[in-house]
Amino acid sequence: MKEENDIVLRCSSIVKYFTTPVKFKALNNISFTIQRGEFLSLIGKSGSGKSTLLYVLSTMDTDYEGTLEINNTLLTGKTLNQLSDFRNEHIGFVFQFHFLLPEFSCLKNVMLPALKLGKKSEKEVEHDAYEKLRLLGVADQALKTANTLSGGQQQRVAIARALINNPTIIMGDEPTGNLDKTNSDIVFGIFRELTADYGQTIIAVTHDQDFAQRTDRIIELSDGELLTSNR
Ligand SMILES: Nc1ncnc2c1ncn2[C@@H]1O[C@H](COP(=O)(O)OP(=O)(O)O)[C@@H](O)[C@H]1O
Ligand SMILES: [Mg+2]
């Protein structure tokens, strides 16, 4: 059973305005919590505010009202440098397009965020990177340059990279948006395993109804407002 107080993310009364071309309220009073080990999908029509909300939750956007806490740390009001450090340690990103460095080996791509964090030796980081690549079933690709892998393999390497610092939460914006059904199912299965077996927390923006229905919990936005959330 998940503990009631095992909350990894809490956002309270988030309001977000865009000011150009005209003042426009993109997020209206968004409050919810996410518990450790939850696999959550964020859905809603195009333009409903999904990417805007994920941008706030990921600490990339600091121009909002309300408060954001991750791992019991209040992030609202922190400096950009503090937020950058926090993200590297606590948030793993998986995007629609993988953003791997194409000329670098898969191993090196996975190692980079940990080398940047600087808490472990290069040898330890390499060991960790192999472990993540094995978990994702692509350890045999470690020494190839990223641009020689298939799309599905590249996305798995990107997930290994997102996991390298054992983040508090993985955030994805359409993480399967660029994959065919087979690879999309593989990535879904990996997310499911990470949450169920490793207690990883995941929030994924998706427009794929089938994907969303199979997650633990769906949060739906409509015109910047939360439609469904049970907490
Ligand atoms: N940088 C921006 N400047 C002005 N308006 C924006 C900006 N980014 C997004 N919006 C508007 O905010 C709303 C939500 O956008 P977005 O979060 O990208 O929606 P979704 O990801 O759900 O498709 C839309 O009306 C969009 O036009
Ligand atoms: Mg979007």
Side-chain angles (χ1 to χ4, degrees), residues 12-84:
S12 304
S13 310
I14 301 286
V15 176
K16 165 76 190 177
Y17 289 96
F18 287 113
T19 48
T20 47
V22 291
K23 192 167 180 185
F24 166 72
K25 198 189 251 188
L27 297 175
N28 187 11
N29 201 26
I30 306 286
S31 303
F32 63 91
T33 60
I34 303 178
Q35 287 184 272
R36 195 170 307 279
E38 244 181 341
F39 184 4
L40 190 150
S41 51
L42 177 57
I43 65 168
K45 291 197 181 75
S46 178
S48 58
K50 303 182 298 295
S51 293
T52 303
L53 178 58
L54 201 69
Y55 219 52
V56 170
L57 299 182
S58 71
T59 80
M60 304 280 278
D61 185 0
T62 55
D63 182 20
Y64 60 88
E65 295 165 21
T67 57
L68 171 67
E69 277 172 58
I70 296 177
N71 226 7
N72 296 314
T73 305
L74 178 65
L75 297 166
T76 310
K78 289 219 185 290
T79 67
L80 295 184
N81 276 336
Q82 288 171 327
L83 292 176
S84 165

Side-chain angles (χ1 to χ4, degrees), residues 134-146:
R134 253 195 307 278
L135 186 65
L136 276 294
V138 284
D140 54 338
Q141 308 295 316
L143 300 178
K144 293 189 187 170
T145 56

Side-chain angles (χ1 to χ4, degrees), residues 76-94:
T76 310
K78 289 219 185 290
T79 67
L80 295 184
N81 276 336
Q82 288 171 327
L83 292 176
S84 165
D85 289 347
F86 185 89
R87 277 196 299 277
N88 190 37
E89 188 165 2
H90 291 281
I91 305 178
F93 291 97
V94 182

Side-chain angles (χ1 to χ4, degrees), residues 163-179:
L163 288 169
I164 190 67
N165 290 334
N166 298 315
T168 303
I169 185 163
I170 289 187
M171 298 191 183
D173 199 347
E174 301 281 1
T176 59
N178 198 35
L179 300 177

